[in-house]
Amino acid sequence: RKETVLLYLEVLCCQPRKHYGITSSISLAFPREIDHIYTQKLTEAIEPFGVFEGEDELNHRLAVLGKLNSFVKEWIAEISESKNLPPSAVANVGGKVFTFGSYRLGVHTKGADIDALCVAPRHIERTDFFSSFFEKLKRHDEIKDLRAVEDAFVPVIKFKFDGIEIDLLFARLSIPDNLDLRGDSLLRNLDIRCIRSLNGCRVTDEILYLVPNKENFRLTLRAIKLWAKRRGIYSNMLGFLGGVSWAMLVARTCQLYPNAVAATLVHKFFLVFSKWEWPNPVLLKQPEDSNLNLPVWDPRVNPSDRYHLMPIITPAYPQQNSTYNVSTSTRTIMSEEFKNGLTVTDEILQGKADWSKLFEPPNFFQKYKHYIVLTASASTEENHLEWIGLVESKIRVLVGNLERNEYITLAHVNPQSFPGSKENHNENEFVSMWFIGISFKKLDNSDCVNIDLTYDIQSFTDTVYRQASNINMLKDGMTIEATHVKKKQLHHYLPPELVQRKKKSLGEINRSSNGGGSKRCSLDGSQLDSSRDTDIGTPFSSPTLVSKPCQPVSSPEDSSITPPNHPVLVFIDSPTASEVSPPKPEQGMSIPVIGSSKSPPAGNTIPTVVGRSVIPRITSSSPSPTELPNSVNGAPKRPHSPSQEDPPKRHKDTEVFSDDSAFKEPYPPNSNATKPMPIPTIDTSRSQRLPSKELPDASSPIPTSNLRVIKNSIRLTLNR
């Protein structure tokens, strides 16, 4: 028996160690007793946030999915019979529902929706899915809020089934009972919409396959998703990271520490990604070419891929960057959050703090001195839901515009939207507001400087209206309004508990305030994220406006900038009558557009009728200013509101990276391991990318309806 054990150990030692991912592990250390204790405390800390479902809720989901699967099989049999398939073929035609996303990963929260895919045989057409299957669902009493989005990038049917929200995609495949969606061969001869629909399932399955311990991965991912939502950095649409991106970052951490438990993995997550040198890509496996000629993320081939700032690459073919929307500002914000998370978890593992500290929300409304308030209004609730969906999807365009202003160093959008005040809008209007915190460059050797945000706002609103017109969404009463406010004026827009600074005890001085968080609903249904529920608003007053010229003192950075000859608006920081008097209409500050019922302030508007006027430009008798040197992140800055003919300049500097990350990872000792492929990247802002196909062509006309566009200028003066 002793000889058998020795022989077994000898065989184990001769076998090469298995490693996960494209490099070897950083540490193979097994957990200590204290690590298990910290993991138990982590579980207890996140449980009150509704990240775990009870047994009854889980069984309810399984029952709903079982009924949906039966509906699909019945429908496929009915369509097959109507297409004159023989009875023997109809009986065995099959059909199946697959899940993906957070539910498939096993990290869904209470009340979360389910992402699902209906796989049907090839003789079932997509038109059948959006017609006869849609009608079949409509006839069932348990199905509510049924709507089809057939023209979406990934076509989908959305509905509530017995209280559970479901997003159902469609794909046509040959479907044996043991169908494995991970195989690349099943993509042959599929149309691009089927490939996109399959992509969610394939990526989810591949992530689970590539992690060493699924249970440790799931608990870690629950904690990281909760942290991201609480810290306001969970939103793919607004340029942060979405669920699949967070899942891939956690999966990479698990590959680097394959034997660690959740508490250790959370700490290592912050350690790894606080030191990651973006834009080096995060890869869970070596990209493979399946010779199917599908477009994949590859900066060596695709020039536009070189401008991605924070690439996290999906592991399933065709590989794509899941973080296309990340901008210079959102990457900076997330990088700071990674560093803050590392500091907090260091304290927790040293016994100096509890896990609850990691999930304290920041007080966004105390962080900046200046904010842009973006307001979207519509005349009916149905129109409002449509309108805010479009506006929110394009807010990242506004953030990109603001980033390119030479005096703006950061534009931070809060993912949570807020209901508008009834006192500031018609009672029949449905209003949502978003807040963007602005950091301005520090001024050197100058008393004050004029800043004009008019062009930044107008180009954003033009993009939104052009898109709305192209998809026939634009209706009377749909408006956007952008307003500049200072921190001390936020109480006119928000409940006092969100904007009041709480006094801290000495023990809390170094802790983030948890007084800035209201009860909110997350993107996947938990009470974490954005809420659009109506709320009782508060009146607002305008900043004091003084019409007087301000001549900035020249400095090396702004010597080429000459202020306009006409008077500009100056904001006074000292207390004024407007802050204590009843609310007054704001003049020269907001940009109400399309169908606004409000009268434009005299002397400060630039009225244009859609289709008849060009975008107004700020003119000056002085020569056009030249570009300043690029910011630290490489984004070209615009020193003024440019004309439409001024194209953004591109960088020609190229850096070549050949490692998975700058966080040094040893390569596997065995000779079979291969080094990651070299990936050329350029550290530059999203603004320098090639034109995106997801937006309408810039040459598309702004809506030529009889609705009037009123455009005001937003100008402010910064004092040193």
Side-chain angles (χ1 to χ4, degrees), residues 286-287 297-303 305-306 677-681:
Q286 191 70 36
W297 184 87
D298 189 346
R300 300 169 302 181
V301 177
N302 309 316
D305 292 346
R306 300 171 192 169
M677 64 176 183
I679 299 180
T681 56

Side-chain angles (χ1 to χ4, degrees), residues 346-552:
D346 278 340
E347 293 179 8
I348 292 170
L349 298 185
Q350 292 169 10
K352 298 178 181 178
D354 297 326
W355 282 109
S356 58
K357 182 175 180 179
L358 183 65
F359 306 112
E360 290 177 352
N363 195 339
F364 174 82
F365 298 106
Q366 288 293 332
K367 191 171 183 179
Y368 301 99
K369 293 182 179 179
H370 299 270
Y371 293 85
I372 296 292
V373 183
L374 185 64
T375 305
S377 308
S379 55
T380 69
E381 185 174 10
E382 184 179 356
N383 289 350
H384 178 247
L385 290 174
E386 267 192 308
W387 185 232
I388 62 173
L390 176 63
V391 172
E392 187 174 33
S393 72
K394 302 304 176 191
I395 289 178
R396 57 189 172 83
V397 175
L398 175 57
V399 170
N401 292 346
L402 295 172
E403 285 176 348
R404 287 190 291 274
N405 189 295
E406 68 157 338
Y407 291 109
I408 293 177
T409 58
L410 189 77
H412 182 179
V413 58
N414 187 344
Q416 184 180 4
S417 65
F418 297 85
S421 167
K422 291 295 183 184
E423 298 183 27
N424 304 324
H425 303 89
N426 296 334
E427 289 191 5
N428 297 328
E429 277 188 318
F430 294 84
V431 181
S432 290
M433 298 185 300
W434 293 267
F435 291 80
I436 304 174
I438 304 293
S439 287
F440 288 100
K441 185 174 71 175
K442 291 184 178 179
L443 302 179
D444 296 324
N445 302 322
S446 61
D447 293 327
C448 57
V449 67
N450 304 311
I451 298 176
D452 185 3
L453 303 181
T454 306
Y455 175 84
D456 304 324
I457 304 295
Q458 286 178 194
S459 58
F460 160 70
T461 56
D462 289 346
T463 298
V464 174
Y465 289 121
R466 188 182 294 116
Q467 176 83 353
S469 177
N470 287 353
I471 61 176
N472 298 318
M473 179 193 291
L474 197 60
K475 297 178 179 66
D476 193 10
M478 291 181 171
T479 65
I480 312 175
E481 184 176 334
T483 309
H484 165 265
V485 298
K486 292 184 177 180
K487 178 170 65 175
K488 62 185 178 183
Q489 297 159 333
L490 288 173
H491 66 280
H492 298 309
Y493 296 84
L494 295 165
E497 63 269 17
L498 286 180
V499 295
Q500 287 177 351
R501 178 180 297 176
K502 291 191 174 182
K503 292 184 179 180
K504 300 180 181 180
S505 64
L506 291 176
E508 295 176 314
I509 287 297
N510 295 321
R511 298 182 58 158
S512 300
S513 168
N514 58 5
S518 60
K519 188 175 181 181
R520 345 175 234 184
C521 297
S522 72
L523 299 177
D524 55 12
S526 59
Q527 293 176 354
L528 304 169
D529 269 348
S530 154
S531 171
R532 296 192 179 107
D533 296 336
T534 55
D535 194 4
I536 298 175
T538 53
F540 70 98
S541 60
S542 307
T544 302
L545 302 178
V546 180
S547 183
K548 71 174 185 178
C550 174
Q551 300 293 337

Side-chain angles (χ1 to χ4, degrees), residues 564-576:
N565 294 329
H566 54 270
V568 296
L569 304 176
V570 181
F571 298 87
I572 306 300
D573 279 331
S574 59
T576 61

